[in-house]
Amino acid sequence: MEHPVRLFNTLTRQLEQFIPRAGTRVGIYCCGPTVYDFQHIGNFKTFLFEDLLVRTLRHAGYEVTHVMNITDVGHLVGDGDSGEDKMLVAMRREGKTSWQIADFYTTKFFEDWDKLKLNRPDVVCKATDHIKQMIELAQRLEANGLTYFAGGNLYFDVNKLPDYGKLARLDLEKLKSGARVEIDANKRHPADFVLWFTKSKFENQEMQWDSPWGRGYPGWHIECSAMSMHYLGEQFDIHCGGIDHIPVHHTNEIAQSEGAIQKPWVHFWMHGEFMKINDEKMSKSTGRFIVLDDLIKQGFEPMAYRFLALSSHYRSHLNFTVEAMQNAQNSLNRLKSSVISLRAEAAAPASALSAAAQKYAADFSAAVFDDLNAPRAMAAVWSAIGDKELPAEQKLALVLDFDQVMGLGAAEWKTEELQISPELQAILDRRDVARKSRDWAASDVLRKEALALGFIIEDSATGQKIKKS
Ligand code: AMP
Ligand code: ZN
């Protein structure tokens, strides 16, 4: 098979041709949510990039197995071993047990997931269901001489692994001299990390299991190493997450996995850039975040957020503003009404693409195969729709095919359902006032503003009526 896809590999900092390890089968592991709080739209920027990756590889003809974990134990407030368990923080805040908190936020997470039309991963695995695999992995590391036991915890000894930190290009010496005063006096090196905690660290830990090192709970990093290898085999093709995971979480996952299997682990590492707000990282810990329901309450459709995320490359920052969100909603409305008009014109989508249509299909594929260039792919969609020579049947076939990758739900856009955005509503309200005061000039200006958003206003005996332009 020809392998048409190129992806940026964080490990080599280069665009590389993507060739799966085993024929056409591809294994992908994505770090999932920590379920102690709501997932914000920044988290979903990363999940949307991963969904685009899976859809693109399927579009290229690969059989993808997509695995995602649910972190329901072990993630401390700091990415290293500092701070409290995130679950404990939530328990205090909400007066619930850890299990109730994890269940509540997992359910909420998948509600948003489905609203954004993300495909469910082939495997969703909870950390608490895989403690056995984590213990076995830690035992392998112990057998390979890469661990030490101190103060009741089992640590990974980073100095024992010659290429520790290769993903983030860390320098162990610099890390040591630059480290803040270490709160955990048991560590031999500040970058060492815990594989297994026993009660000694947090007395209130509710989730605990028996282990060879005493009753306790796993470190965060070991869960992803153990579960990914359990479902995808010891070596697999792609591991994804947000860029915040590069220096600690993914670095430590590589150390554990390669320390255990004693050979290279994952071929491609892919990372999504941050969603920002006021030019700072959107994050739960600072309270500076927006959830999907906030957008819905403001009158936006979940698909408009998907559209917004697709309007920038996954390796670019996306700074959230209401204006950008409004633009995305307007573009989505335009796309929807184009598809609805195509359906009115064409009896059915063409069963075979003409030579002219194939050119657009090739442009679209070339864009997504080029490191998931969604903005360029979207431009190909608009060009096809705007081509006056292309018959409606051909356009419809193209758009429905493109949407297998974009995932905006075009197959459901069948009837004219008018979505009145807050911006359009404001225009209608102002125009109502202008008409009542017989200010025809202002009324005409507002009619033009509505047209710019893709809507025609018609005056009738019962008031203003709108339709798509
Ligand atoms: P968490 O629940 O914090 O472990 O995050 C779930 C996923 O969202 C991980 O892949 C993170 O790297 C990613 N993530 C966290 N914050 C952001 C952000 N502001 N923008 C994009 N992705 C993020
Ligand atoms: Zn992970």
Side-chain angles (χ1 to χ4, degrees), residues 31-36 39-47 50 71 75 86 220 240-245 272-276 281-284:
C31 290
T34 308
V35 285
Y36 75 104
Q39 287 281 296
H40 52 64
I41 56 171
N43 299 124
F44 278 105
K45 175 183 186 291
T46 295
F47 297 125
E50 292 160 351
T71 299
H75 194 165
K86 289 189 173 185
W220 170 39
C240 303
I243 50 156
D244 50 333
H245 285 342
E273 254 291 355
F274 285 148
M275 164 68 100
K276 295 189 166 185
K281 183 194 168 194
M282 189 174 282
S283 94
K284 279 170 283 197

Side-chain angles (χ1 to χ4, degrees), residues 167-418:
L167 181 71
R169 310 206 164 162
L170 302 176
D171 178 333
L172 276 187
E173 275 314 304
K174 276 199 197 131
L175 268 186
K176 192 164 195 168
S177 54
R180 284 171 294 141
V181 182
E182 183 51 60
I183 14 172
D184 185 347
N186 298 314
K187 288 188 184 181
R188 294 180 186 163
H189 186 285
D192 289 351
F193 56 94
V194 180
L195 299 167
W196 189 266
F197 290 98
T198 73
K199 270 194 279 188
S200 59
K201 190 148 181 172
F202 301 118
E203 297 304 328
N204 293 332
Q205 178 70 26
E206 203 180 43
M207 293 172 155
Q208 288 186 40
W209 296 264
D210 288 326
S211 85
W213 311 280
R215 205 166 158 72
Y217 63 100
W220 170 39
H221 316 301
I222 194 124
E223 68 172 79
C224 287
S225 289
M227 288 190 278
S228 59
M229 292 200 278
H230 179 66
Y231 288 104
L232 295 169
E234 285 199 342
Q235 291 171 296
F236 59 92
D237 300 291
I238 308 178
H239 194 313
C240 303
I243 50 156
D244 50 333
H245 285 342
I246 299 171
V248 182
H249 182 49
H250 289 170
T251 287
N252 292 349
E253 277 191 51
I254 293 176
Q256 296 162 148
S257 303
E258 298 194 349
I261 65 177
Q262 300 282 315
K263 54 189 171 194
W265 180 41
V266 172
H267 188 177
F268 273 81
W269 284 87
M270 295 180 67
H271 294 96
E273 254 291 355
F274 285 148
M275 164 68 100
K276 295 189 166 185
I277 185 159
N278 299 331
D279 284 314
E280 287 187 71
K281 183 194 168 194
M282 189 174 282
S283 94
K284 279 170 283 197
S285 48
T286 59
R288 205 175 35 234
F289 69 91
I290 296 173
V291 296
L292 191 62
D293 281 350
D294 296 331
L295 298 181
I296 295 171
K297 275 188 211 129
Q298 289 175 47
F300 295 115
E301 288 174 78
M303 275 309 96
Y305 179 65
R306 187 176 183 112
F307 199 100
L308 179 69
L310 290 170
S311 69
S312 75
H313 192 265
Y314 77 93
R315 285 195 288 119
S316 305
H317 289 135
L318 185 56
N319 192 40
F320 180 85
T321 61
V322 175
E323 202 191 354
M325 193 59 216
Q326 186 62 61
N327 288 339
Q329 178 73 64
N330 295 344
S331 302
L332 177 70
N333 291 347
R334 250 174 238 132
L335 188 63
K336 253 190 199 180
S337 62
S338 305
V339 172
I340 290 165
S341 318
L342 288 175
R343 279 192 196 281
E345 246 181 275
S351 51
L353 291 184
S354 64
Q358 276 174 21
K359 236 183 65 49
Y360 291 110
D363 286 351
F364 178 89
S365 296
V368 284
F369 292 168
D370 181 12
D371 196 30
L372 315 180
N373 195 330
R376 215 175 88 204
M378 205 40 118
V381 177
W382 289 118
S383 306
I385 289 175
D387 184 338
K388 297 214 164 45
E389 308 294 316
L390 205 61
E393 294 76 21
Q394 292 289 334
K395 291 185 187 180
L396 198 54
L398 277 173
V399 172
L400 294 176
D401 192 33
F402 294 160
D403 202 53
Q404 297 294 316
V405 180
M406 297 313 225
L408 292 164
E412 293 158 25
W413 301 340
K414 289 195 171 135
T415 47
E416 188 85 34
E417 38 154 289
L418 283 182

Side-chain angles (χ1 to χ4, degrees), residues 415-427:
T415 47
E416 188 85 34
E417 38 154 289
L418 283 182
Q419 286 287 338
I420 302 186
S421 65
E423 198 181 357
L424 179 62
Q425 192 57 55
I427 292 174

